[in-house]
Amino acid sequence: MCLPIGIFVALLYSDELCSIKIKYGKLGGWCPLFKRTMRYVIWILFFLVSSSTVFALEVSSKKDCVICHVMWISEFRSEKETLIEFQPGNVLMKDTQGVVSSEDMCFSCHDGYVQDSRNIVWKFQRHKVFVKPSDKVTVPPELPLSVKGELYCGTCHSAHGEGASSQGDPDGRTSLFREHNIESGLCEKCHTNKADNKLSNGHPLHRIEGFEIPEKLLEMGSKRISDRSLIICQSCHRVHGAEGDNILVIDNRNSELCVICHEKNESLIKTKHDLRLTMPDTKNIKQQYASESGPCGACHAAHNAAGQKLWGRPLDTGSSTSQLCIECHKEETDIDNKYIGTHSHPVDIDILATESVGDLLPLFSDDGTTNARGRVQCFTCHNVHRWAPDSPDNRGGKDIEGDGTNSFLRISNSSSDLCLECHTDKKQVLMSDHNLQVTAPEEKNILGFNAGSSGPCGGCHVPHNAETDSLWAKELSGNGAVVSELCTSCHSKSGVAKSKTVGDNYHPVDVELDKHNITSDLPLFDDRGNKTGSGKMVCMTCHDPHIWDPDKPVAEYTYRNEEGDGTNSFLRISNSSSDLCLECHTDKKQVLMSDHNLQVTAPEEKNILGFNAGSSGPCGGCHVPHNAETDSLWAKELSGNGAVVSELCTSCHSKSGVAKSKTVGDNYHPVDVELDKHNITSDLPLFDDRGNKTGSGKMVCMTCHDPHIWDPDKPVAEYTYRNEEGDGTNSFLRQANSPSSDLCASCHDNKSYVDGTDHDFNVIAPLAKNILDQTVKESGTCGACHVVHNSPYSMKLWARPFGPVYTDESLINALCTSCHSSGNIAEDKMPRATTHPADKKINNILQGDRKASDFMPVYDQQGREKNLGRIACPSCHNVHQWSALFQQKGDGENIEGNASNSFLRNVSFKNICTDCHGIEALFKFKYFHNPDKRTVDDGF
């Protein structure tokens, strides 16, 4: 009765056991002996059992210890030499033949004979056993290794149920495991690094939000658990009976396993990102060719990847998410020239700090995960798994060239929808002449794409392989700032916008404003086209090429090539009131409050481009930024008969001009004069023949006039927009010329001593008017005797009616007698004798040295200074300086003169008088105006 049931079962199964051992090799040698012995034992057992009345034979399928532990029965042991070599096996007991826990012993049952047989382990893959653990795993003490330190079946399994619950369930609680295998927990015991997917850059495990394991995967042998949102090791791996390498549930060489869950990414297969087609000779970090790893495995690794995006290719340490793309798309790889080039769209930037990003585009954290507050990366615009966003099935074969409709873009960019997801402020470009899809559909950018395939933005910008880091899409000449060069690449004689060129004369570009003491809120740019506070002024300083009308940034446009004006024309600020010009030229602002604001005084007057001041702005009446007549941006057609600056003035201030009521007349102050040839120096500006200011240029209208400032003493004065009559204090003068002669004195410094003397009408006759009906207050001190415009006389631009002269006198005396004659202002200062004998001509060899102390000019009958001429009033009198002894202004009093002042040129007889009169010269000089002292025989 107490006979061990195990022995009985062993006897019953001895034939089968031996057949198994013979079938699988190593135990075949001892099975015949074992069978004979067991049969002998069976007869003995039957004899003993037959004598018992309480024993009943019951056939059972239950196993007993001796089925595996045959060496435990001492009766079975032999002291003889075994038929096979003694080999201590993979068991915990030393010095024993390796039978009990050998692979063959386990497979003696689990070969398909029993129900839970794992029979497919013979056909497919299984977990490695009878090998020493690699350094990539850590085997805990509760999972024993063999005496050889190797993994074996007993490392994970125990036929005795030693460590696990004796009650099994579908979630992995079974008596055959040494530890509970709930959610692949037993796997994670050794594979600790792969269990922590973030630490090891491995595939995420356990619960994933919104994910459910597909039924198809479960049908293929994935471990079924109650919660299908849980991903565990056994979702992809089968410890026994795996069909794919690395004990995967199915072969993954064509990424069949990956796409079961990631079915949206299946569209990558057979595209340019299927490296089996485009880069078959490259290897991933596992040193596998794409043909071995499959399309997904070429870029991703499920375990021990290069980054948390499971990146399967080498990456630089600390690189951004975009480095995943750059690893292949860099110039060194030369993948059919699909590298991004030196200048590409910036990545790894915090776009939310400056702009917004569209709802359709993702941002990324540093670990590569999507994050609404993250940064722009390559994946923001590109979906690397889908060739054509509007047609996922369009796989774009290896040799198909991409464009704005595909190229792995998240959104088709054929209408620049992708660009405008972020750059919403540029949206108006679609409704403008700069939409080349409408105005120049065949014009190609630097990559050979026209606007139809690249989108409107692609006419001027490309995200990769651009000319500059500002993504310019045109080849540049290198002759200027790249921003301006982009404009002129179209707006030139050979460009697609040749009808809209800037001409030979246009507003300067590449200008550093700070060198001209100019500050502005308009954007400046560096030499590479990037905005910078201390950069240069270029075309895009004034123009925003994305917005046609600055006052209507979302205006609809009819896609016509429209003629712009000062209100639009891609200007950053509407210039209809010259606001744009005045951003930099603030010192010209007073022109708005003056007669030179043609919007008020001549609103219909047109400039050289056909625009009136209403459409071009006040500045546009005289200047145009493009296609000007000169490099000083004159906006009027010039005759070419004089200095261009003066010609600009006379184009209006002439008999046929819009300012014909304000002409300079036939007699006016000389212009186009080179002052240095007359030994004149001045602080007033001089100009060259092209109208540019220069220190050694000529005196022109704008030497004395500043056409932008009506009143030099009130540069910010409000103006009532009336056509006001000017005087010596304003009239667009650079300096006020009343009440003192400051403006005239800038050049005629030796004439300024007239101020405050008897020849200053402010002193002697403030209410007297000149020939233009101006008082001295209105005309200034000089203006009482001279007028710079509209003088009736060419001689000295005289401002008063000529006085009486004798027929043989020089006409120059008429200037003096206009006051010093009967009935005129200075009739009380009229000399009794005035003239020198007309037939006595003087040869004055000092005529050329006007600064000589004894200089005395002589004149011809027409009043012109000559080397050989007559003595006239100005020969002895310097009308601008009261005393020859003192170069100073007067005291503002009408005083009686004497022989030492009275506007005499000098007080010495050592002058030209001595040439004829010798020793009597002093006497003759003294009594020249006294008829009582003059005698006929004296020659008078």
Side-chain angles (χ1 to χ4, degrees):
M1 293 295 296
C2 60
L3 182 69
I5 295 177
I7 296 176
F8 181 71
V9 174
L11 292 174
L12 292 177
Y13 282 86
S14 61
D15 284 346
E16 184 62 26
L17 180 61
C18 287
S19 67
I20 293 173
K21 304 313 177 203
I22 294 170
K23 179 179 179 181
Y24 296 116
K26 296 180 180 180
L27 302 180
W30 56 267
C31 275
L33 175 63
F34 179 80
K35 289 172 67 177
R36 288 194 297 272
T37 305
M38 293 305 294
R39 284 175 180 153
Y40 176 77
V41 173
I42 288 172
W43 285 110
I44 298 174
L45 290 176
F46 267 107
F47 175 78
L48 295 174
V49 170
S50 63
S51 61
S52 174
T53 58
V54 294
F55 180 81
L57 181 64
E58 180 179 352
V59 178
S60 173
S61 63
K62 294 180 181 180
K63 308 173 180 64
D64 212 328
C65 302
V66 295
I67 292 179
C68 300
H69 296 283
V70 294
M71 298 181 68
W72 286 6
I73 303 176
S74 59
E75 290 83 351
F76 289 178
R77 293 193 186 123
S78 170
E79 300 300 326
K80 297 180 179 181
E81 182 179 356
T82 57
L83 299 179
I84 60 175
E85 183 182 355
F86 176 79
Q87 294 180 348
N90 290 300
V91 293
L92 299 180
M93 296 179 294
K94 294 184 178 181
D95 302 324
T96 60
Q97 187 84 345
V99 174
V100 127
S101 56
S102 67
E103 190 174 34
D104 292 331
M105 179 62 78
C106 295
F107 291 156
S108 67
C109 290
H110 296 289
D111 68 340
Y113 186 86
V114 298
Q115 185 176 4
D116 188 16
S117 64
R118 309 297 197 271
N119 66 303
I120 56 175
V121 300
W122 288 99
K123 299 178 183 178
F124 303 108
Q125 306 294 323
R126 62 183 181 277
H127 194 291
K128 291 180 179 179
V129 289
F130 306 110
V131 294
K132 291 187 177 181
S134 74
D135 56 1
K136 297 178 181 178
V137 299
T138 303
V139 181
E142 58 268 26
L143 299 180
L145 300 176
S146 74
V147 292
K148 294 181 179 180
E150 295 178 337
L151 295 169
Y152 73 111
C153 299
T155 300
C156 295
H157 297 287
S158 171
H160 312 97
E162 294 172 347
S165 169
S166 60
Q167 301 296 322
D169 64 41
D171 289 335
R173 300 176 179 87
T174 171
S175 59
L176 294 180
F177 289 128
R178 289 190 181 275
E179 295 288 331
H180 291 314
N181 196 33
I182 302 172
E183 298 178 8
S184 296
L186 183 59
C187 304
E188 296 177 7
K189 284 281 187 178
C190 295
H191 300 282
T192 54
N193 62 328
K194 294 179 180 177
D196 189 344
N197 58 288
K198 291 184 178 180
L199 178 64
S200 63
N201 296 325
H203 193 291
L205 293 175
H206 304 296
R207 193 177 305 278
I208 294 181
E209 191 70 29
F211 176 77
E212 187 171 293
I213 295 177
E215 185 65 33
K216 181 178 180 181
L217 190 61
L218 297 174
E219 292 172 356
M220 289 182 172
S222 289
K223 183 69 176 179
R224 182 184 295 275
I225 55 177
S226 57
D227 188 347
R228 287 180 59 182
S229 68
L230 290 177
I231 293 179
I232 60 176
C233 302
Q234 290 163 277
S235 297
C236 296
H237 296 284
R238 292 187 66 175
V239 181
H240 304 289
E243 294 187 25
D245 292 340
N246 298 314
I247 61 173
L248 293 173
V249 294
I250 61 172
D251 192 304
N252 198 39
R253 292 189 182 185
N254 293 315
S255 298
E256 294 96 331
L257 177 60
C258 299
V259 299
I260 291 175
C261 293
H262 303 282
E263 58 181 343
K264 289 184 179 180
N265 297 334
E266 186 180 4
S267 56
L268 172 141
I269 297 174
K270 295 183 181 179
T271 69
K272 293 177 183 290
H273 279 172
D274 187 340
L275 300 193
R276 297 175 303 175
L277 304 177
T278 52
M279 297 173 62
D281 296 329
T282 61
K283 293 182 179 181
N284 62 15
I285 57 174
K286 307 290 186 182
Q287 296 303 302
Q288 298 170 315
Y289 293 109
S291 59
E292 300 172 297
S293 66
C296 299
C299 295
H300 299 284
H303 303 293
N304 298 311
Q308 291 190 20
K309 291 293 288 184
L310 305 183
W311 199 241
R313 306 194 75 79
L315 287 178
D316 294 336
T317 303
S319 61
S320 67
T321 304
S322 293
Q323 183 65 30
L324 311 184
C325 302
I326 296 171
E327 176 58 31
C328 286
H329 294 282
K330 58 186 177 182
E331 192 164 354
E332 301 87 84
T333 58
D334 196 26
I335 307 171
D336 292 334
N337 295 321
K338 295 301 178 187
Y339 47 86
I340 60 174
T342 304
H343 305 296
S344 186
H345 191 292
V347 294
D348 205 25
I349 57 172
D350 186 2
I351 193 173
L352 296 178
T354 55
E355 300 182 59
S356 61
V357 64
D359 295 334
L360 301 178
L361 299 179
L363 300 176
F364 295 85
S365 299
D366 291 338
D367 61 2
T369 58
T370 55
N371 181 350
R373 305 298 300 176
R375 297 177 177 177
V376 171
Q377 304 289 356
C378 296
F379 300 129
T380 299
C381 297
H382 290 286
N383 181 346
V384 296
H385 301 100
R386 185 177 60 182
W387 169 249
D390 293 337
S391 179
D393 293 332
N394 176 11
R395 299 188 182 276
K398 168 185 173 183
D399 300 320
I400 294 179
E401 187 64 33
D403 56 33
T405 65
N406 41 50
S407 305
F408 299 105
L409 298 176
R410 290 194 179 273
I411 306 169
S412 173
N413 204 39
S414 59
S415 298
S416 291
D417 292 342
L418 178 64
C419 298
L420 297 174
E421 272 291 304
C422 294
H423 304 285
T424 54
D425 57 325
K426 309 295 189 295
K427 193 171 185 177
Q428 205 202 42
V429 73
L430 302 182
M431 287 79 74
S432 77
D433 292 349
H434 281 174
N435 183 346
L436 300 192
Q437 284 187 329
V438 177
T439 54
E442 298 307 314
E443 176 69 7
K444 293 184 178 181
N445 62 21
I446 198 172
L447 301 183
F449 293 115
N450 59 33
S453 58
S454 66
C457 297
C460 298
H461 302 281
V462 287
H464 308 303
N465 292 287
E467 274 289 275
T468 72
D469 46 10
S470 295
L471 307 185
W472 301 140
K474 295 286 186 179
E475 189 171 352
L476 304 178
S477 65
N479 296 326
V482 293
V483 190
S484 295
E485 278 195 63
L486 178 65
C487 300
T488 56
S489 63
C490 287
H491 294 280
S492 63
K493 293 178 181 179
S494 60
V496 67
K498 51 182 171 287
S499 62
K500 300 290 182 181
T501 63
V502 297
D504 295 327
N505 301 308
Y506 51 89
H507 193 292
V509 291
D510 296 356
V511 177
E512 297 179 57
L513 297 188
D514 53 358
K515 289 186 177 180
H516 298 273
N517 296 318
I518 295 175
T519 58
S520 174
D521 292 332
L522 295 173
L524 303 177
F525 296 81
D526 63 21
D527 288 337
R528 298 305 299 166
N530 304 302
K531 285 185 181 180
T532 172
S534 59
K536 296 179 180 179
M537 191 207 76
V538 295
C539 296
M540 284 179 59
T541 297
C542 297
H543 291 285
D544 185 335
H546 303 99
I547 298 179
W548 170 250
D549 189 333
D551 292 334
K552 300 175 183 177
V554 293
E556 291 297 322
Y557 186 64
T558 57
Y559 294 110
R560 64 187 181 276
N561 199 343
E562 182 175 320
E563 187 64 35
D565 56 34
T567 64
N568 41 47
S569 305
F570 298 103
L571 298 176
R572 290 196 178 273
I573 305 171
S574 174
N575 205 39
S576 59
S577 298
S578 291
D579 292 341
L580 180 62
C581 297
L582 296 174
E583 269 291 306
C584 293
H585 304 286
T586 54
D587 58 325
K588 308 296 190 294
K589 192 171 186 177
Q590 206 200 41
V591 74
L592 302 182
M593 286 78 75
S594 77
D595 293 348
H596 281 173
N597 183 346
L598 299 192
Q599 284 187 329
V600 177
T601 55
E604 297 307 315
E605 177 69 8
K606 293 184 177 180
N607 62 21
I608 198 172
L609 301 183
F611 293 115
N612 59 33
S615 58
S616 65
C619 297
C622 297
H623 303 280
V624 287
H626 308 145
N627 293 288
E629 274 288 275
T630 72
D631 47 9
S632 295
L633 307 184
W634 301 139
K636 296 286 185 178
E637 190 172 352
L638 305 178
S639 66
N641 297 324
V644 292
V645 189
S646 295
E647 278 196 64
L648 178 65
C649 300
T650 56
S651 63
C652 288
H653 295 280
S654 63
K655 293 177 181 179
S656 60
V658 68
K660 51 182 172 286
S661 63
K662 298 291 183 180
T663 62
V664 296
D666 295 326
N667 299 309
Y668 52 87
H669 192 292
V671 290
D672 296 355
V673 176
E674 297 180 57
L675 298 189
D676 53 356
K677 290 185 177 181
H678 299 273
N679 296 317
I680 296 175
T681 59
S682 175
D683 293 332
L684 295 174
L686 304 177
F687 297 81
D688 63 20
D689 288 338
R690 298 301 299 166
N692 305 301
K693 284 184 180 180
T694 173
S696 59
K698 296 178 180 180
M699 191 204 77
V700 295
C701 297
M702 284 179 59
T703 298
C704 296
H705 290 285
D706 185 336
H708 303 99
I709 298 178
W710 171 250
D711 189 334
D713 291 334
K714 299 175 182 177
V716 292
E718 291 296 324
Y719 184 65
T720 57
Y721 293 110
R722 63 186 181 277
N723 198 342
E724 182 175 319
E725 188 63 36
D727 56 36
T729 64
N730 42 47
S731 305
F732 299 104
L733 297 176
R734 290 196 179 272
Q735 294 175 250
N737 205 42
S738 178
S740 60
S741 57
D742 293 340
L743 179 63
C744 295
S746 295
C747 294
H748 308 286
D749 56 339
N750 60 339
K751 306 295 191 295
S752 65
Y753 304 127
V754 73
D755 292 349
T757 68
D758 293 353
H759 280 174
D760 183 348
F761 276 35
N762 287 300
V763 176
I764 61 169
L767 299 181
K769 295 184 177 182
N770 64 14
I771 203 167
L772 300 182
D773 202 35
Q774 296 171 323
T775 65
V776 67
K777 181 178 180 181
E778 295 169 329
S779 67
T781 302
C782 300
C785 297
H786 307 279
V787 287
V788 290
H789 306 148
N790 293 291
S791 174
Y793 311 112
S794 61
M795 186 170 57
K796 304 297 183 183
L797 300 179
W798 201 242
R800 315 197 69 77
F802 280 179
V805 294
Y806 294 105
T807 303
D808 56 354
E809 281 187 288
S810 173
L811 191 60
I812 196 72
N813 287 347
L815 308 186
C816 299
T817 58
S818 63
C819 288
H820 294 279
S821 61
S822 178
N824 287 308
I825 294 171
E827 61 181 351
D828 60 335
K829 297 291 183 181
M830 187 174 62
R832 294 164 60 193
T834 59
T835 61
H836 189 276
D839 59 342
K840 305 295 184 182
K841 291 186 177 180
I842 307 298
N843 186 0
N844 187 359
I845 61 174
L846 296 175
Q847 179 69 27
D849 187 5
R850 301 183 65 84
K851 293 185 179 180
S853 62
D854 53 354
F855 168 73
M856 293 183 69
V858 293
Y859 299 85
D860 65 10
Q861 193 169 4
Q862 286 73 39
R864 294 170 296 193
E865 288 187 17
K866 295 290 183 179
N867 287 338
L868 178 64
R870 298 177 176 88
I871 289 178
C873 298
S875 297
C876 297
H877 292 284
N878 180 353
V879 296
H880 300 97
Q881 184 173 328
W882 173 247
S883 172
L885 299 175
F886 305 102
Q887 289 185 326
Q888 61 186 27
K889 297 182 178 184
D891 295 329
E893 297 179 3
N894 191 352
I895 60 177
E896 187 64 34
N898 56 44
S900 66
N901 45 43
S902 303
F903 299 103
L904 293 173
R905 285 196 180 275
N906 58 66
V907 294
S908 169
F909 69 92
K910 295 179 180 179
N911 50 41
I912 59 174
C913 299
T914 60
D915 293 342
C916 294
H917 298 286
I919 193 70
E920 295 180 347
L922 179 60
F923 181 82
K924 298 291 185 180
F925 180 79
K926 181 177 180 180
Y927 296 107
F928 182 85
H929 293 297
N930 189 336
D932 297 333
K933 301 294 184 180
R934 298 171 60 161
T935 60
V936 175
D937 57 344
D938 286 330
F940 287 87

